[in-house]
């Protein structure tokens, strides 16, 4: 399994626009699972799950890793997927919006679980979505040039920090709003 996989191909990204496929990829972050196990968790028929896994496998997001009895086990092909379409206004726009929304909701949950009192959940999520969309759009050229490089998690974190730093002048409004929503002192 790779540590980080950079994905810029619009057709591959479009596959993640389906909620079930996105949930499968997220569940396989935890550990390898069979289609039957995924079908129980997601409350979908095994045939539906197999169809989604087949598409994800062809796109390079999941792979077979063994058997549990007569069940095939699947896992993600990378611990981290850096998803950034290379073009604006292409078929990936709705997918990226859904991914950014899910990431924003996840970050909201992380902050609230850490004890931050965020009075306006919707405003926080909307600012995070704008931030994620802006950073992704501003970073496309750099990310496209890194496609195919094998990054470890620390290199990935440094890359993300660098992308934010490089683009920070254009992210000031979102930064101010987030600091206010998180009640951080200036």
């Amino acid at each position: 399994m790779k540590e980080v996989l950079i994905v810029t191909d619009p057709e591959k990204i479009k596959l993640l626009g389906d909620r079930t496929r996105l949930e499968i990829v997220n569940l396989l972050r935890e550990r390898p699972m069979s289609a039957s196990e995924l079908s129980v968790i997601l409350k979908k028929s095994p045939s539906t799950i197999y169809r989604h896994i087949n598409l994800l496998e062809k796109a390079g997001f999941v792979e077979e890793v063994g058997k549990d009895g007569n069940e095939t086990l699947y896992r993600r092909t990378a611990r981290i997927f850096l998803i950034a379409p290379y073009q604006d206004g292409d078929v990936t726009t709705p997918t990226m919006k859904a991914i950014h929304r899910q990431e924003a909701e996840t970050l909201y949950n992380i902050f609230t679980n850490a004890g931050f009192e965020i009075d306006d959940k919707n405003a926080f999520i909307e600012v995070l979505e704008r931030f994620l969309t802006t950073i992704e759009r501003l970073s496309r050229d750099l990310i496209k040039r890194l496609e195919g490089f094998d990054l470890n998690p620390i290199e990935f974190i440094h890359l993300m920090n660098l992308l934010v730093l490089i683009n920070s002048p254009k992210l000031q409004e979102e930064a101010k709003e987030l600091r206010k929503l998180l009640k951080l002192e200036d």
Side-chain angles (χ1 to χ4, degrees), residues 100-114 116 118 124-125 128-129 131-132 178 182:
H100 292 157
R101 178 70 181 195
Q102 184 175 9
E103 290 171 345
E105 289 172 357
T106 299
L107 288 168
Y108 171 82
N109 291 332
I110 288 169
F111 277 96
T112 56
N113 289 339
F116 285 86
I118 301 169
F124 185 78
I125 288 172
L128 279 174
E129 281 182 280
F131 169 81
L132 294 168
L178 287 171
L182 289 169

Side-chain angles (χ1 to χ4, degrees), residues 52-153:
H52 288 299
I53 286 175
N54 195 16
L55 291 169
L56 290 167
E57 193 172 23
K58 286 178 185 173
F61 290 111
V62 302
E63 63 189 358
E64 292 183 18
V65 292
K67 296 269 189 190
D68 183 15
N70 56 355
E71 290 271 353
T72 302
L73 295 175
Y74 300 92
R75 73 172 181 193
R76 296 163 57 113
T77 56
R79 291 188 201 291
I80 301 167
F81 294 114
L82 175 54
I83 303 195
Y86 189 59
Q87 302 167 350
D88 245 341
D90 60 18
V91 296
T92 61
T93 302
T95 301
M96 293 310 297
K97 186 167 179 50
I99 290 170
H100 292 157
R101 178 70 181 195
Q102 184 175 9
E103 290 171 345
E105 289 172 357
T106 299
L107 288 168
Y108 171 82
N109 291 332
I110 288 169
F111 277 96
T112 56
N113 289 339
F116 285 86
E117 292 181 25
I118 301 169
D119 296 330
D120 192 338
K121 176 183 179 177
N122 290 331
F124 185 78
I125 288 172
E126 286 172 17
V127 173
L128 279 174
E129 281 182 280
R130 270 197 336 264
F131 169 81
L132 294 168
T133 299
T134 303
I135 193 78
E136 176 253 303
R137 185 177 37 78
L138 293 170
S139 304
R140 286 179 181 164
D141 289 335
L142 182 70
I143 291 170
K144 179 67 175 170
R145 292 183 67 179
L146 293 171
E147 192 170 21
F149 279 82
D150 197 11
L151 304 172
N152 68 44

Side-chain angles (χ1 to χ4, degrees), residues 14 16 33 35 74 76 82 96 146 160 165-166 173:
K14 192 169 77 171
L16 296 177
M33 294 184 198
Y74 300 92
R76 296 163 57 113
L82 175 54
M96 293 310 297
L146 293 171
M160 297 313 294
L165 178 62
I166 289 170
E173 184 65 32

